[in-house]
């Protein structure tokens, strides 16, 4: 009976290579059967064509054709077995389509179906199923447990059960479709596809749950950070206002003190000058009296009287030595003016710097030069860690330069340090950062390819490093005339060439930014990074794939040329 698989064993239809039900079975000249794709792949990987089972060798590779008899038997077997799989279970289908399967023949009250016929595409109750047990033609039909919407499970073109799955086109196909238009495709039984898709579904579900948890945690973190920022903002405002109020009060006090001191000194200078002028006026009067007396004496003709009066009367009154008096108030005023101007200029610069830092911390746009200058104050003296360098890299004696060497010979025989890179032409900076901000600059000159950024302490150093957002490397990769991030290949983020790159990391704000130092232009930023361990500067001078690229990457101090 076609409705029973008791005479058929699954072992009879298993390919000895893939251990699954035959897909497009072929027979070798020695009489053994395999899936066409399995035996073809097997022979492609061996220097001679021989049977995997009996080891008989064939001088020429056999031209195999699908064994239609075995294929038909396998199809019949699978048509029976597929109804027992979970994907075709009547219980699940009834749940999907909303209830029991009813007889398609009943005209009055429809009875519950006990079997479905894959040839008739109908479901039958016990009464209307009876012809399938009696009529010779109907006995050959395939009866299965009741299934809803049978027409959806059959190929519209060949009216055969959809019991195969094409991995390439991602469609369910019948055995005829598999042997025709999907002949060269990767076709597997629905049972295997179902099992594989269940695994993929489980993996996707696990990934989705992980993503949900990550986002929930991120929401909690952001919420906590917002609350913390509100508290700290209030504290900064309160302390800032208090300090600025004190400063304003001190400035006001300095203003009052300036006015008081200057007025008192001016008053004292004026009193000194008034006393001097009064004394001068008195001396002038006395000198004028002396002049009149001298005129009278000059008119005396009597020589005796002239001499007697000349001897007894002093010609000049007692006067002050003018060289002992100087009025230097103007010099003092000019000194105060100059000192005041210098102090106020310094104060204005400090206020300007304070305002710039306040604007930058709030993300307010300022000039490029001012923004870069603000970041450069966090400069760190970075040195290269030679113990992490790939064997084909040369580190300078001062540990400030790294370049690729084509003449390093066979390094595979060298004793490798456990912390060195073996696949990427990379080296890390010495000394890591697990908090705060840090900045460094690198001169790349005319290099045609390089990679620069920040890496975690646990970054993979042995073998290839998978380019993904969670690989532990936040870096930009320059190729000829464009930039891309290491974690997102072939996605340009900036165009043009640069000679000097600034790298700024804010550990607490989870941000890494790159700048063209010469033009103070922003190149790219990684935001909302997940930092959970120490970070290290990462340098990769790359090889010569994109032209002459043997020049070094040089760590340079801010404001100095290499």
């Amino acid at each position: 009976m076609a409705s029973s698989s008791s005479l058929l064993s699954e072992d009879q239809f298993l390919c000895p290579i893939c251990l699954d039900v035959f897909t497009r079975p072929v027979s070798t000249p020695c009489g053994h059967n395999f899936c066409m794709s399995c035996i073809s792949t097997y022979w492609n990987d061996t220097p001679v064509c021989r049977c995997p089972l009996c080891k008989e060798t064939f001088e020429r590779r056999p031209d195999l054709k699908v064994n239609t008899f075995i294929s038909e038997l396998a199809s019949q077997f699978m048509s029976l077995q597929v109804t027992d799989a979970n994907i075709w279970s009547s219980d699940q289908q009834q749940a999907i389509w909303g209830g029991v399967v009813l007889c398609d023949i009943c005209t009055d009250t429809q009875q519950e179906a006990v079997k479905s016929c894959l040839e008739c595409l109908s479901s039958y109750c016990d009464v209307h199923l009876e012809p399938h047990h009696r009529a010779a033609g109907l006995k050959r039909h395939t009866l299965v447990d009741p299934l809803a919407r049978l027409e959806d499970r059959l190929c519209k073109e060949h009216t055969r059960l959809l019991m195969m799955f094409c991995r390439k086109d991602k469609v369910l196909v019948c055995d005829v479709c598999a042997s025709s238009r999907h002949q060269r495709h990767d076709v597997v039984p629905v049972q295997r596809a179902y099992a594989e898709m269940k695994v993929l579904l489980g993996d996707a579900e696990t990934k989705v749950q992980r993503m949900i948890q990550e986002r929930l945690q991120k929401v909690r973190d952001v919420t906590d950070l917002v609350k913390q920022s509100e508290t700290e903002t209030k504290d900064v405002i309160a302390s800032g206002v208090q300090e600025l109020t004190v400063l304003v009060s001190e400035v006001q006090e300095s203003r009052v003190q300036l006015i008081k001191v200057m007025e008192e000194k001016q008053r004292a200078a004026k009193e000194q000058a008034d006393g001097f002028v009064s004394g001068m006026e008195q001396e002038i009067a006395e000198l004028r009296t002396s002049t009149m007396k001298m005129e009278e004496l000059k008119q005396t003709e009597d020589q005796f009287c002239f001499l007697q009066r000349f001897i007894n009367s002093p010609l000049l009154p007692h006067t002050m030595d003018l060289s002992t008096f100087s009025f230097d108030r103007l010099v003092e005023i000019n000194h105060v003016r100059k000192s005041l101007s210098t102090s106020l200029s310094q104060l204005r610069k400090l206020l300007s710097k304070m305002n710039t830092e306040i604007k930058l911390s709030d993300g307010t746009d300022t000039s490029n030069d001012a923004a870069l200058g603000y970041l450069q104050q966090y400069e760190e003296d970075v040195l290269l860690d030679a113990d992490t360098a790939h064997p084909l890299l040369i580190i300078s004696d001062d540990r400030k330069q790294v370049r690729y060497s084509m003449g390093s010979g066979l390094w595979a025989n060298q004793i490798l340090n456990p912390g060195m890179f073996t696949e990427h032409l990379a080296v890390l900076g010495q000394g890591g950062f697990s908090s705060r901000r840090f900045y460094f600059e690198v001169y790349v000159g005319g290099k045609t390819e390089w990679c620069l950024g920040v890496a975690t302490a646990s970054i993979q150093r042995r073998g290839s490093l998978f380019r993904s957002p969670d690989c532990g490397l936040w870096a930009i990769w320059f190729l000829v005339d464009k930039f891309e991030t290491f974690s997102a290949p072939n996605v340009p983020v900036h165009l043009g060439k640069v000679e000097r790159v600034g790298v700024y990391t804010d550990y607490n704000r989870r941000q890494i930014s790159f700048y063209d130092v010469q033009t103070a232009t922003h190149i790219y930023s990684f935001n909302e990074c997940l930092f959970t361990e120490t970070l290290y500067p990462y340098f990769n001078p790359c090889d010569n794939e994109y032209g002459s690229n043997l020049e070094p990457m040089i760590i340079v101090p801010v404001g100095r040329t290499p």
Side-chain angles (χ1 to χ4, degrees):
M1 290 289 292
S3 61
S4 173
S5 60
S6 59
L7 299 179
L8 300 176
S9 170
E10 183 177 5
D11 293 340
Q12 296 173 279
F13 299 98
L14 295 183
C15 170
I17 296 178
C18 67
L19 301 180
D20 208 337
V21 178
F22 286 122
T23 301
R24 296 170 58 219
V26 295
S27 299
T28 60
C30 58
H32 294 110
N33 302 311
F34 306 93
C35 297
M36 177 175 282
S37 60
C38 292
I39 190 63
S40 298
T41 302
Y42 178 81
W43 283 344
N44 289 337
D45 295 337
T46 57
V48 294
C49 292
R50 62 163 54 98
C51 176
L53 295 180
C54 67
K55 305 303 180 183
E56 180 177 346
T57 302
F58 311 110
E59 294 182 1
R60 301 174 60 181
R61 181 165 178 166
D63 184 16
L64 302 179
K65 304 294 183 182
V66 175
N67 189 319
T68 56
F69 177 72
I70 298 177
S71 179
E72 182 65 25
L73 286 178
S75 298
Q76 290 294 328
F77 177 76
M78 290 174 60
S79 68
L80 298 176
Q81 293 297 313
V82 75
T83 59
D84 296 330
N86 290 337
I87 193 171
W88 299 106
S89 68
S90 59
D91 292 341
Q92 289 188 357
Q93 293 301 322
Q94 290 177 11
I96 293 174
W97 302 114
V100 298
V101 179
L102 300 178
C103 177
D104 293 323
I105 309 302
C106 294
T107 55
D108 295 331
T109 303
Q110 284 185 302
Q111 300 298 316
E112 182 176 345
V114 294
K115 291 290 181 181
S116 295
C117 178
L118 298 182
E119 279 76 13
C120 300
L121 299 184
S122 298
S123 298
Y124 302 97
C125 63
D126 282 327
V127 174
H128 293 109
L129 183 65
E130 190 272 336
H132 279 77
H133 297 311
R134 173 173 44 83
L138 296 178
K139 287 182 179 181
R140 291 193 296 269
H141 288 191
T142 302
L143 299 178
V144 297
D145 290 337
L147 295 173
R149 302 185 62 168
L150 277 169
E151 64 277 5
D152 291 342
R153 297 174 182 83
L154 297 183
C155 175
K156 299 295 189 293
E157 182 178 356
H158 303 105
T159 320
R160 295 178 68 89
L161 185 65
L162 298 172
M163 55 188 179
M164 315 279 279
F165 180 77
C166 178
R167 287 171 171 166
K168 179 180 180 182
D169 295 335
K170 292 180 172 53
V171 292
L172 288 164
V173 296
C174 68
D175 56 337
V176 178
C177 292
S179 300
S180 55
R181 67 172 62 98
H182 298 274
Q183 182 176 5
R184 299 186 180 275
H185 294 181
D186 187 6
V187 179
V188 297
V190 291
Q191 294 96 326
R192 189 196 300 184
Y194 172 76
E196 292 174 352
M197 296 303 176
K198 287 280 284 187
V199 173
L200 292 177
L201 182 63
D203 293 342
E205 185 179 14
T206 300
K207 184 176 181 180
V208 168
Q209 291 298 326
R210 184 176 70 252
M211 293 172 66
I212 291 174
Q213 294 304 317
E214 289 175 351
R215 280 152 180 77
L216 288 174
Q217 184 61 45
K218 191 66 175 179
V219 169
R220 289 192 290 268
D221 292 343
V222 171
T223 303
D224 292 341
L225 287 173
V226 169
K227 292 180 180 179
Q228 181 182 354
S229 67
E230 289 177 350
T231 301
E232 294 185 0
T233 296
K234 292 178 181 178
D235 292 342
V236 169
I237 292 175
S239 60
V241 168
Q242 182 180 0
E243 293 295 332
L244 289 174
T245 301
V246 173
L247 180 60
V248 169
S249 176
E250 292 176 353
V251 171
Q252 290 288 356
E253 183 179 347
S254 297
R255 173 177 173 273
V256 173
Q257 188 71 11
L258 172 67
I259 296 173
K260 178 181 178 182
V261 171
M262 292 299 291
E263 287 181 347
E264 287 180 352
K265 288 189 175 183
Q266 179 62 28
R267 191 180 307 111
K270 186 175 184 304
E271 291 177 356
Q272 180 187 13
D274 289 345
F276 175 76
V277 170
S278 176
M280 290 299 102
E281 289 177 347
Q282 182 177 352
E283 288 187 357
I284 292 171
E286 292 177 353
L287 289 172
R288 286 176 177 170
T289 300
S290 297
T291 301
M292 293 176 60
K293 290 180 178 180
M294 290 180 185
E295 286 294 331
E296 292 177 359
L297 184 58
K298 286 170 59 179
Q299 300 297 325
T300 303
E301 298 291 341
D302 187 340
Q303 296 179 352
F304 177 81
C305 291
F306 176 84
L307 292 173
Q308 191 176 29
R309 293 176 60 185
F310 184 85
I311 296 171
N312 295 327
S313 300
L315 297 178
L316 296 175
H318 179 73
T319 59
M320 176 181 175
D321 184 359
L322 295 179
S323 64
T324 61
F325 179 83
S326 64
F327 189 82
D328 55 1
R329 177 59 182 159
L330 294 178
V331 175
E332 184 180 5
I333 291 175
N334 287 331
H335 173 73
V336 172
R337 178 184 288 113
K338 184 177 180 180
S339 176
L340 185 62
S341 176
T342 301
S343 299
L344 289 175
S345 177
Q346 294 175 348
L347 180 59
R348 289 190 183 95
K349 289 181 180 179
L350 292 174
L351 289 173
S352 176
K353 181 179 179 182
M354 180 184 70
N355 290 331
T356 299
E357 292 186 2
I358 291 175
K359 291 178 181 178
L360 284 172
S361 64
D362 271 347
T364 305
D365 290 336
T366 57
S367 70
N368 291 341
D369 290 334
L372 184 58
Y374 170 78
L375 303 181
Q376 288 174 332
Q377 68 177 312
Y378 297 102
E379 179 187 16
E380 293 287 342
D381 183 17
V382 176
L383 298 176
L384 299 174
D385 185 356
D387 290 338
T388 66
H390 188 282
L392 292 180
L393 296 183
I394 296 179
I395 309 297
S396 62
D397 292 337
D398 62 357
R399 292 188 292 164
K400 289 290 187 178
Q401 302 185 27
V402 55
R403 65 181 178 87
Y404 168 68
S405 173
M406 298 180 61
S408 296
L410 298 175
W411 61 269
N413 296 325
Q414 298 181 16
I415 299 177
L416 303 180
N417 292 326
M420 71 168 36
F421 289 91
T422 60
E423 182 76 18
H424 282 252
L425 297 171
V427 60
L428 298 180
Q430 189 175 51
F433 303 88
S434 57
S435 63
R436 62 189 178 85
R437 307 169 184 176
F438 63 93
Y439 175 90
F440 61 95
E441 291 184 3
V442 178
Y443 180 80
V444 294
K447 290 179 65 64
T448 55
E449 183 185 11
W450 48 266
C451 188
L452 176 67
V454 177
T456 59
S458 62
I459 184 174
Q460 182 176 337
R461 307 183 194 185
R462 296 297 176 95
S464 180
L465 179 60
F466 185 65
R467 298 180 69 174
S468 67
D470 56 355
C471 65
L473 175 60
W474 297 269
I476 55 173
W477 199 317
F478 175 75
L479 301 131
V480 183
D481 61 354
K482 67 179 183 296
F483 291 84
E484 62 185 45
T485 64
F486 181 84
S487 57
N490 303 318
V491 180
V493 297
H494 187 77
L495 297 177
K497 300 188 69 172
V498 301
E499 290 188 357
R500 188 168 180 149
V501 184
V503 183
Y504 170 75
T505 302
D506 189 332
Y507 195 103
N508 297 328
R509 294 184 65 183
R510 302 178 178 181
Q511 182 184 61
I512 300 174
S513 300
F514 300 85
Y515 294 85
D516 180 349
V517 176
Q518 288 184 306
T519 61
T521 303
H522 176 255
I523 298 175
Y524 185 77
S525 287
F526 294 94
N527 298 306
E528 299 300 324
C529 304
L530 183 60
F531 299 149
T532 58
E533 53 185 298
T534 304
L535 302 179
Y536 293 84
Y538 172 93
F539 308 84
N540 187 333
C542 299
D543 55 20
N544 274 6
E545 180 180 357
Y546 293 93
S548 179
N549 195 41
L550 297 180
E551 294 300 315
M553 298 175 73
I554 307 174
I555 304 171
V556 290
V558 169
R560 288 173 56 183
T561 56

